[in-house]
Amino acid sequence: MIPVRYNLRSLLVRRTTSAMTAMVVALVVMVLFILSGFITGIRSTVMQSAVTGNWIVTSRAADSEASSYISRDQYQIIRSRPQIVTNADGTPLVSPEMITGFYPAPDAPATKVGFTFLRGVRPVAFKVHRDMKIVSGRWPQHDASEMAVGRKLAARYPNLAVGSDMRFGHRLWKIVGIFSDHNSTRESEVWTDLDVLTQDVRYNAGFAVLHVVLKPGSEEAFRQSLTTDARLRLDAISEREFYTRESGFVDQLRVLGLVVAFILGVGSTFGGMNTMYSAVARRTGEIGVLRVLGFSRVDVLLSFLIESALLGVAGGVVGVALGLITAQATGLASQLMSVGSYIFTFRLTPSAFTSALIAGASLGAIGGLLPAWRASRIGVVDSLRAV
């Protein structure tokens, strides 16, 4: 096999064309790298809402919490299920919750205000959603017109600071606390007392969903108990499955981004191909010498492929550096962004760096495939004529 240092030396000899080709690859890698930060940030925010052992009970075939309805009779039946964990005083860990739309800045123009949810809960909710913590102020009291605001939502809307008043529905509400929940989607919501909310919206026939904590190993029995009881037309699904489904829109965003990156990648592939064809044309004599020294056609093919892949890796490294600089310069790494009702942060994981380098190497290798094949097919006699 031809030593790799031969390829490195060849790239340095053609440093100008090599640098230009690497920059074309770098631009594609930068787009993929930044896209990865967006996708990971959104998906991570949604999936952080899932707690191990927690399940969601919704009405039959409901595809979201807001579109579900559970009657009070059904709620009482669910509370009596033996598969549900109880706390020290015997209270089942079942959290009935109601959800309604909420505009965090009602006086601002609609085009500049995000949409989120106001969630009505009872105190048991803070035992079911075990990662929730108050970071400022306190939780809303029972039967009081008070709200607690998620940390990300409060950071985005200064009018939701602790001590502020908020007009919603038929009454004036007091903001009494800011809470965190491991950067989940709940930090984009506003929480209040369930009974006060049902009074305000004048709807007390039932709830939207139930979040329950199940005993380990009882999940299937609980699910079956909902299908065999004719009084219940409900579905149960683990929070992990539910939020995985909720994050399905992220895949659509990723496909859209990949289409753009693919179009750019085609351009960079042709750029790499042009560079390597030029290299083959200039090094016909070298190829002949390599063949005379005993290197086979396969060795020549692999050598040019490796050289092209090295060019792509260099482009990948530059693309990652450009992505980091762009994220810092534009504030992506520190700003809160939103998609729908979800507020999230740009997030880079080790896999984003690895994927960027693999993408660069792949683009380089693909661009060099045909020139490498051309180099391996040059006859020894024809090559030596060029010496």
Side-chain angles (χ1 to χ4, degrees):
M1 184 174 175
I2 300 172
V4 175
R5 62 176 179 275
Y6 165 77
N7 305 105
L8 292 172
R9 191 165 52 242
S10 174
L11 289 174
L12 291 176
V13 169
R14 298 176 290 111
R15 58 175 63 88
T16 302
T17 54
S18 298
M20 292 179 66
T21 304
M23 282 304 298
V24 174
V25 174
L27 292 177
V28 179
V29 171
M30 181 187 72
V31 172
L32 288 171
F33 187 67
I34 293 177
L35 174 66
S36 174
F38 277 111
I39 297 300
T40 303
I42 301 173
R43 191 184 297 280
S44 172
T45 297
V46 176
M47 293 310 299
Q48 286 290 351
S49 303
V51 177
T52 302
N54 282 17
W55 281 54
I56 299 178
V57 180
T58 64
S59 55
R60 185 66 50 85
D63 59 359
S64 67
E65 290 184 283
S67 63
S68 172
Y69 165 73
I70 297 175
S71 69
R72 290 181 180 271
D73 290 339
Q74 290 173 325
Y75 162 61
Q76 292 299 335
I77 295 172
I78 293 295
R79 289 186 83 237
S80 66
R81 294 298 181 195
Q83 297 88 4
I84 294 176
V85 174
T86 57
N87 62 13
D89 63 4
T91 302
L93 294 184
V94 179
S95 173
E97 301 177 7
M98 169 173 276
I99 300 167
T100 186
F102 183 84
Y103 284 98
D107 296 331
T111 55
K112 296 183 178 180
V113 179
F115 176 82
T116 187
F117 291 106
L118 173 62
R119 187 181 294 264
V121 299
R122 290 176 175 167
V124 70
F126 308 119
K127 297 179 180 177
V128 173
H129 304 291
R130 300 180 288 280
D131 293 329
M132 298 190 66
K133 293 181 175 60
I134 277 287
V135 296
S136 177
R138 58 174 174 79
W139 290 114
Q141 294 181 343
H142 180 58
D143 274 343
S145 302
E146 297 176 341
M147 296 176 172
V149 182
R151 180 173 54 180
K152 292 178 183 174
L153 192 66
R156 190 153 200 180
Y157 296 96
N159 61 303
L160 298 179
V162 173
S164 303
D165 293 323
M166 184 78 187
R167 172 67 62 180
F168 176 80
H170 301 87
R171 65 184 73 194
L172 189 65
W173 304 72
K174 175 74 73 179
I175 307 297
V176 298
I178 306 294
F179 64 84
S180 67
D181 186 41
H182 275 196
N183 291 319
S184 77
T185 55
R186 296 188 185 95
E187 294 188 6
S188 308
E189 297 182 352
V190 179
W191 283 35
T192 188
D193 179 74
L194 175 63
D195 296 328
V196 176
L197 180 60
T198 55
Q199 291 169 19
D200 190 82
V201 298
R202 297 173 182 173
Y203 183 82
N204 59 4
F207 316 102
V209 295
L210 305 177
H211 286 257
V212 303
V213 183
L214 296 183
K215 297 174 182 175
S218 65
E219 294 85 358
E220 192 55 35
F222 179 73
R223 194 203 301 264
Q224 286 297 324
S225 71
L226 301 188
T227 60
T228 56
D229 191 330
R231 298 169 297 175
L232 303 174
R233 293 183 57 79
L234 305 174
D235 288 331
I237 185 173
S238 70
E239 286 191 344
R240 179 156 297 280
E241 292 176 277
F242 181 83
Y243 289 112
T244 298
R245 191 176 67 191
E246 287 279 293
S247 66
F249 73 93
V250 178
D251 295 327
Q252 298 175 2
L253 292 177
R254 182 172 60 181
V255 169
L256 183 62
L258 289 177
V259 168
V260 175
F262 175 77
I263 295 172
L264 295 175
V266 170
S268 72
T269 300
F270 277 106
M273 193 179 296
N274 183 58
T275 299
M276 294 306 295
Y277 266 128
S278 300
V280 171
R282 283 198 297 265
R283 291 155 63 188
T284 303
E286 289 182 30
I287 294 171
V289 172
L290 291 171
R291 295 296 310 279
V292 169
L293 291 174
F295 292 105
S296 66
R297 291 181 186 272
V298 174
D299 291 330
V300 173
L301 174 70
L302 289 176
S303 179
F304 275 84
L305 267 182
I306 290 172
E307 186 171 317
S308 184
L310 288 174
L311 199 57
V313 170
V317 172
V318 175
V320 168
L322 288 176
L324 290 173
I325 293 171
T326 302
Q328 289 295 330
T330 59
L332 285 178
S334 56
Q335 287 181 356
L336 290 173
M337 294 168 283
S338 61
V339 173
S341 62
Y342 301 135
I343 300 176
F344 67 97
T345 54
F346 184 79
R347 183 180 180 188
L348 292 171
T349 61
S351 64
F353 293 83
T354 306
S355 300
L357 295 180
I358 292 175
S362 300
L363 288 172
I366 293 172
L369 185 59
L370 290 179
W373 175 260
R374 170 77 181 92
S376 68
R377 306 309 300 174
I378 298 176
V380 177
V381 175
D382 294 335
S383 303
L384 292 178
R385 284 176 181 162
V387 175

